Each structure stands twice: as structure tokens, then as C-alpha cells.
Amino acid sequence: AKELGRDQVQFYSVELNEQAQRRLQLEGELRHALERGEFELAWQPKADIQSGHISGAEVLLRWQRAGQSVATPDVFIRVLEETGLIMPVGRWVLEQAARQIVAWRRAGLPWLRVAVNLSARQLRQGDLVRTVSEVLETSGLPSAQLELELTESMLMGGEQHQRLLHRLSALGVQLAIDDFGTGWSSLSYLKRFNVDTLKIDRSFVRDTPHDPEDNAIATAVIALARSLKLRVVAEGVETPEQRRFLLDNGCDEFQGWLLSRPLSARAFEAWWRQQLLL
Ligand code: C2E
Ligand code: CA
Ligand code: CA
Ligand code: CA
């Protein structure tokens, strides 16, 4: 039994070691990904739930490692956050998104509002207001065409975050609460912050209209948003029944595979031009 115990300890430490090794390698590769041009943005449209007209797009970070399997955002974005690499990468995402929207406008397409996801670290570290204003200025993107997606937990930072978000909102950019309902610890921040939009988390949309509990949550979030005069967007809408249910309950916009999967900039542009002809 003693022997076995020792073997097991060894076995676990080898496994742990491998895990740490993989993690180190990932970190090392991520450190060079930006300069190597391995990051890309995927574009996913949002639309008015009633008319189906495109109302904006969310950009989602993708990492294309040469000759390797694609890393999922949930994994590599966590590493970017933990290492602080999200600071330069997050700025790149803002710049890239802004540049693309302005390029499309110059090519004769209408202005489109672009939503960018932020990490908690981007609120805590560095000067987000300055970064955002620099990006707006150098790109020529009107501030109203930029929307920042934050999660509820990022708003629990107290006074300092409150001032920061007020300054961002004073720049004219829109603020959205992402994954709304998953971190529901207090709603008082909805009053304190200049929030414009609530995004109902995909986990509450998935089983509508068949699951009475999810129906109740989705309906309650929509009612809350409407009474606070906030725009409400449902994410992860995959079926016409889900869209119907959300529409009947007063949701404003939707996003999800039913409308389009996240696309490369080129594919998104083609999709968008098609929509404009309809
Ligand atoms: P999120 O902001 O909640 O983004 C929505 C996720 O749902 C995306 O996953 C999207 O591909 C996926 N999705 C969209 N429609 C559907 C649908 O109809 N059905 C299903 N099953 N899934 C759908 P993705 O691209 O893997 O991104 C995961 C998360 O990574 C995002 O969740 C966001 O929190 C984070 N993220 C992505 N890009 C960035 C970024 O540039 N910066 C930061 N800080 N975070 C990012
Ligand atoms: Ca988001
Ligand atoms: Ca979300
Ligand atoms: Ca989500």
C-alpha cells in the first residue's frame, strides 16, 4: 500500500507538471502573438428583434496559431488576463474594431455600432478613458458608434469605477452589461452607473420557451430593463421560437446563430451587404 501511495504521488506530480508545462508554453506563445499578427477579430451582428435590421456588431477575439489547433477564447483570454497581456491586446482589439468600422464607412457602408468586450483589469489598470479617447481620435470613430461590454462583477468596484464609467459615458460611448443575470448580487449599480444596455445571458435564453424558470428570468430581465428605459439584447438566440418568445415579451434586439455566427471581417461585410439589399 505504501508503494502504491508513492506511485500515486509521483503520478499526480507528473500530471501537474505537464499542466504547468502546457500553461507556460501557452503563455510564451501568447507573448509573441500580437507582434506575429496571430490575433483576429470575429464579427457577430446584432439585430432589431422585430424587423431583423442590423443594429450593430460585437467583436470577439480569435487566436490563429500557425500550424496549431485553435485555442478557445475562454482559455486563452483567461491567460491574457492573468498575465496582464490583456492590456496591449485589449487596446489592439479597440483599435482594430474602430479602424474597421471607419474603413467600412469610407467604403460607403452605413455607420455601425461596434461592441467591444472589456476585462476587469482594463478598468483597474492603466487609463482606460485615455486609451478609449486616443483610439476614437486616431481612428475617427464617432464615440456613439462604440459600445463597451462589461460584466456585473466589474461594476462592484465602488466609487472609483463609478467615476471611470461616468467619464466614459461622458465621452459619448455606450455601456452595456454583459451576461446579465449571472452575477446578480445587487441591482443598485444600475442606478449609479450610466448603463445603456442589458444583455441577457445565453444561459437564460437557451431553454426558452420550454423551461418555465428560464422564461421567468428572461421575462423579468426584459421588464426590468424596460422600466429603467434601458435597451435589452438577448444573446445566444439559436431558434425562431426563442426569438418569437423574446419579441413577444418586449426584448429590443437579439444576437446569436439564428442571425449569424461570428464571422471574419470579410465574411461579415459580405453578409452585411446582402442584408442591406433585402
Ligand atoms: P461573451 O461576451 O458572452 O460572447 C458571446 C459568446 O457566445 C461568444 O463566444 C460567441 O461566439 C458565443 N455565441 C454567440 N452566439 C451564440 C449562439 O447562438 N449559440 C451559442 N451556443 N453560442 C453563441 P466566444 O467567441 O467563444 O467568446 C467567449 C468569451 O470570451 C466572450 O463571451 C467574452 O467574455 C470573451 N471575449 C471574447 N473576445 C474578447 C475580447 O476582445 N476581450 C475580452 N476581454 N474578452 C473577450
Ligand atoms: Ca460580450
Ligand atoms: Ca455575453
Ligand atoms: Ca454569456
Side-chain angles (χ1 to χ4, degrees):
K2 217 173 171 187
E3 285 301 302
L4 186 73
R6 202 179 300 142
D7 276 356
Q8 262 175 354
V9 167
Q10 219 159 37
F11 172 75
Y12 285 130
S13 70
V14 166
E15 236 193 12
L16 259 177
N17 216 354
E18 272 173 14
Q19 219 178 352
Q21 211 71 40
R22 264 204 306 277
R23 160 73 200 235
L24 268 178
Q25 187 174 352
L26 201 61
E27 248 186 74
E29 288 172 27
L30 278 169
R31 273 183 209 288
H32 301 289
L34 198 56
E35 66 204 39
R36 289 183 186 152
E38 293 175 345
F39 288 120
E40 256 172 54
L41 295 182
W43 293 75
Q44 189 179 37
K46 306 180 195 185
D48 181 278
I49 202 159
Q50 186 133 31
S51 68
H53 290 152
I54 182 166
S55 56
E58 176 176 1
V59 287
L60 297 157
L61 188 59
R62 295 291 179 264
W63 182 27
Q64 313 283 4
R65 285 189 288 175
Q68 300 230 37
S69 59
V70 222
T72 69
D74 288 325
V75 173
F76 76 81
I77 288 171
R78 185 154 30 84
V79 178
L80 290 176
E81 285 166 351
E82 287 166 6
T83 53
L85 286 166
I86 195 68
M87 298 304 289
V89 175
R91 187 187 176 111
W92 178 87
V93 172
L94 274 168
E95 284 167 349
Q96 194 65 15
R99 255 189 248 139
Q100 182 64 76
I101 294 291
V102 171
W104 276 327
R105 181 73 191 106
R106 293 202 177 121
L109 286 155
W111 280 120
L112 189 71
R113 184 186 295 144
V114 62
V116 174
N117 292 286
L118 291 185
S119 287
R121 210 190 249 260
Q122 288 172 282
L123 260 69
R124 270 189 280 116
Q125 201 178 316
D127 189 344
L128 183 62
V129 178
R130 185 157 138 211
T131 302
V132 168
S133 20
E134 282 173 4
V135 168
L136 292 174
E137 198 166 323
T138 46
S139 65
L141 184 74
S143 60
Q145 304 301 331
L146 179 63
E147 180 165 50
L148 301 175
E149 296 196 0
L150 318 159
T151 58
E152 286 165 278
S153 60
M154 292 163 69
L155 299 179
M156 302 304 171
E159 285 268 312
Q160 218 166 339
H161 281 169
Q162 195 171 333
R163 270 200 304 277
L164 177 67
L165 295 182
H166 272 278
R167 286 169 63 210
L168 283 172
S169 151
L171 283 180
V173 307
Q174 303 270 308
L175 300 178
I177 307 297
D178 206 354
D179 303 337
F180 187 76
T182 55
W184 208 332
S185 43
S186 153
L187 291 174
S188 60
Y189 68 82
L190 288 176
K191 252 174 39 183
R192 273 183 285 131
F193 298 110
N194 301 37
V195 170
D196 306 286
T197 301
L198 297 187
K199 291 190 81 176
I200 309 175
D201 189 60
R202 173 154 58 89
S203 61
F204 302 124
V205 170
R206 192 171 43 220
D207 296 327
T208 55
H210 306 293
D211 180 318
E213 282 174 1
D214 283 349
N215 290 352
I217 294 173
T219 312
V221 173
I222 294 168
L224 175 71
R226 295 195 76 86
S227 60
L228 292 170
K229 302 205 162 42
L230 302 175
R231 182 171 33 186
V232 56
V233 183
E235 68 175 19
V237 177
E238 296 181 359
T239 70
E241 293 74 37
Q242 291 168 340
R243 178 182 176 183
R244 184 79 237 170
F245 174 81
L246 294 158
L247 168 60
D248 289 344
N249 283 283
C251 188
D252 298 311
E253 295 178 17
F254 75 112
Q255 182 180 0
W257 295 350
L258 178 64
L259 184 65
S260 167
R261 298 224 174 201
L263 302 169
S264 69
R266 272 177 84 121
F268 175 83
E269 181 183 335
W271 179 90
W272 184 16
R273 289 188 183 276
Q274 192 88 42
Q275 296 289 306
L276 291 171
L277 295 177
L278 296 179

